[in-house]
DNA sequence: CGAATCTTTGAAGGAGATCAACTATAGTGG
DNA sequence: CCACTATAGTTGATCTCCTTCAAAGATTCG
């Protein structure tokens, strides 16, 4: 996807030379740039730079001044908060097309790290603010994405507060599957890019409980696990029943 | 506050006659109308009607088409989602100055009910949308409030996913206290408008556990309970320590 | 191949849920 | 005014499920 880049192992590559034109972008129809007219898109492209992250690399840290905002083009990020004693809550994962900085005013309210090697479009907040003044459609688009993020966060509150462990995992797998489809990946053998610790910290469980829930779903014949990071959904219907909540997919 | 209204026992009163001018409004500086110029404020006032709710009354229901949006002027609302089997997750409470409809596109994503008798400013979505096109400051204000709501929802995810019951309750009481101060109410003897079931469904606990946590905090000398709905915070510092998370108040 | 990391599984313990009873408070009607 | 009822909150006992602690596979990477 980023043909001009040399070695993927280089740290924090950043350059003004955009990684191919926006018109060729794989997430063109989902990201912030969706539903923008050509002039707005070109203006956006003009202030854009690109960036690569490798696994585990931190992009922004909670509390730091918000100087840049990002649009994820490939890979996966986790967004989380840490408690003083080390407990971690992942509030969500960012998929290609998602935007980083929706919730933040002035400072980042959460830390973001790459779960897998990722590529992003990178914007200066000041330039983005200017652009939003010139192109209201851009601001509207961000607002729509923020509302969507809010609904998602509230859905997560339901999952965290009222679902039993197996229900949590079942609903997580269904959301992952729907998400994969949205990005154009296969939605049935779902690939888990994140490890058990990430899943546990997202669902408010321990890794042991997550593992046991996988085993339980497998034993009940609802899923198949060719390997630890691949989940084949054998009965979408039954899995939905376990999740307890019918999700709009 | 609403002098022209007759009996509070009337159901769902609604009338175009605004409940006093916006300039006299108690939440003028916090609600959607904060930071609006006079012309925008008057335009907002022109399309506003008012509404009263009594305890337990439903304002909007999850899934219903979003035709109206609201600004709470007094009272308290709960926002929640129900599971098919009756489990309930309250994602948040709306206090005076808060806006209902931030997260929703087309249909309401959650149900809203009055916890205590409440009064609201009521707007047609269509008229509000028109007004936002004419007054960008209005749209910006809503966007700011949406970002704030998103941060709050993510904070709640941390509470739900990673705090122990006592920690949950302690943090809840601190947030309530800070909220009361913000609205201009006394922040130390905190008055609990909601009952134990509401608190339980907000914190992802049972009412028995909530009650036991109250007792535990009382036994440890951190709070005093003159009656079940009044909490006197004896040691703000210790309570914060129990909450485990330093909240920006 | 061997070290490190990740995942799974087992055993034990504890914390919160459940079930049940009791208390307190408010509202009702005699 | 006072029983009577209904509702809300507290407390106790038990049980279940999740966590914790521990160890054994499995996979990856040098």
């Amino acid at each position: 996807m980023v043909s001009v880049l040399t070695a993927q192992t280089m740290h924090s590559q950043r350059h003004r030379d955009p990684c191919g034109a926006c018109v060729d972008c794989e997430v063109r129809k989902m990201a912030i740039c969706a539903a923008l007219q050509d002039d707005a898109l070109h203006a956006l492209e003009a202030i854009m730079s690109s960036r690569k992250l490798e696994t585990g690399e931190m992009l922004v840290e909670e509390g730091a001044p918000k100087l840049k905002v990002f649009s994820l083009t490939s890979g996966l990020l986790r967004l989380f908060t840490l408690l003083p004693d080390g407990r971690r809550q992942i509030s969500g994962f960012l998929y290609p097309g998602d935007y980083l900085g929706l919730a933040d005013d002035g400072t980042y309210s959460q830390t973001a790290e790459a779960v897998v090697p990722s590529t992003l479009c990178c914007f200066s907040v000041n330039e983005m603010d200017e652009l939003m003044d010139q192109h209201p459609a851009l601001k509207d688009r961000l607002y729509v994405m923020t509302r969507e993020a809010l609904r998602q966060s509230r859905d997560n509150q339901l999952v965290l507060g009222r679902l039993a462990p197996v229900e949590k995992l079942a609903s997580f797998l269904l959301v992952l599957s729907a998400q994969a489809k949205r990005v154009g990946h296969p939605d049935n053998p779902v690939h888990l890019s994140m490890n058990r610790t990430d899943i546990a910290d997202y669902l408010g469980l321990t890794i042991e409980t997550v593992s046991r829930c996988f085993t339980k779903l497998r034993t009940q014949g609802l899923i198949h696990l060719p390997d630890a990071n691949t989940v084949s959904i054998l009965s979408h219907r039954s899995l939905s029943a376990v999740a307890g909540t019918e999700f709009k997919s």
Side-chain angles (χ1 to χ4, degrees), chain A residues 16 22 36-48 123 127-128 131 134-135 138:
Chain A
R16 205 71 184 190
C22 283
L36 288 191
Q37 300 298 322
D38 276 357
D39 60 332
L41 183 64
H42 288 135
L44 190 64
E45 194 167 5
I47 65 165
M48 185 264 273
F123 308 94
E127 289 177 327
M128 182 61 94
L131 211 61
Q134 293 158 24
H135 300 276
L138 194 60

Side-chain angles (χ1 to χ4, degrees), chain A residues 10-233:
Chain A
M10 279 181 60
H11 287 229
S12 303
Q13 300 187 40
R14 199 190 292 185
H15 49 135
R16 205 71 184 190
D17 183 22
C19 49
C22 283
V23 287
D24 298 333
C25 180
E26 288 193 18
V27 296
R28 168 80 177 83
K29 301 197 195 76
M30 310 182 300
I32 183 188
C33 30
L36 288 191
Q37 300 298 322
D38 276 357
D39 60 332
L41 183 64
H42 288 135
L44 190 64
E45 194 167 5
I47 65 165
M48 185 264 273
S49 63
S50 69
R51 177 150 179 199
K52 267 182 158 302
L53 296 175
E54 35 178 329
T55 300
E57 193 175 348
M58 179 187 293
L59 178 62
V60 304
E61 186 168 18
E62 180 183 352
K66 178 190 173 190
L67 302 175
K68 302 238 166 209
V69 290
F70 308 88
S71 180
L72 187 63
T73 50
S74 77
L76 182 69
L77 305 187
R78 60 179 161 248
L79 229 57
F80 64 87
T81 308
L82 287 175
L83 287 175
D85 63 1
R87 282 176 287 180
R88 184 178 71 159
Q89 177 64 43
I90 295 180
S91 72
F93 296 99
L94 294 192
Y95 301 93
D98 287 344
Y99 189 86
L100 180 77
L102 292 178
D104 311 310
D105 265 332
T107 62
Y108 298 110
S109 58
Q110 300 195 296
T111 303
E113 288 176 357
V115 176
V116 298
S118 304
T119 57
L120 311 102
C121 296
C122 174
F123 308 94
S124 132
V125 167
N126 290 336
E127 289 177 327
M128 182 61 94
D129 284 346
E130 278 176 34
L131 211 61
M132 285 196 294
D133 286 338
Q134 293 158 24
H135 300 276
L138 194 60
K139 191 182 285 187
D140 291 344
R141 174 75 189 132
L142 265 183
Y143 189 17
V144 167
M145 293 175 82
T146 306
R147 287 201 297 271
E148 170 63 28
L150 179 53
R151 286 194 296 274
Q152 201 174 308
S153 176
R154 286 177 173 173
D155 283 346
N156 281 346
Q157 282 188 59
L158 173 67
V159 171
L160 288 166
R162 285 302 177 214
L163 293 195
V166 233
E167 297 174 322
K168 287 180 178 182
L169 185 60
S171 101
F172 174 67
L173 293 177
L174 289 171
V175 170
L176 264 195
S177 173
Q179 176 61 37
K181 180 187 266 179
R182 206 173 70 83
V183 186
H185 292 293
D187 70 324
N188 195 347
V190 184
H191 179 73
L192 304 179
S193 306
M194 67 292 286
N195 61 24
R196 297 295 187 265
T197 305
D198 286 331
I199 298 175
D201 285 350
Y202 179 63
L203 297 177
L205 303 170
T206 61
I207 57 171
E208 294 94 333
T209 299
V210 169
S211 181
R212 279 184 244 271
C213 289
F214 268 114
T215 303
K216 193 176 291 180
L217 291 177
R218 181 171 50 76
T219 305
Q220 294 177 349
L222 304 185
I223 62 172
H224 178 230
L225 290 166
D227 64 285
N229 293 319
T230 309
V231 179
S232 167
I233 298 176

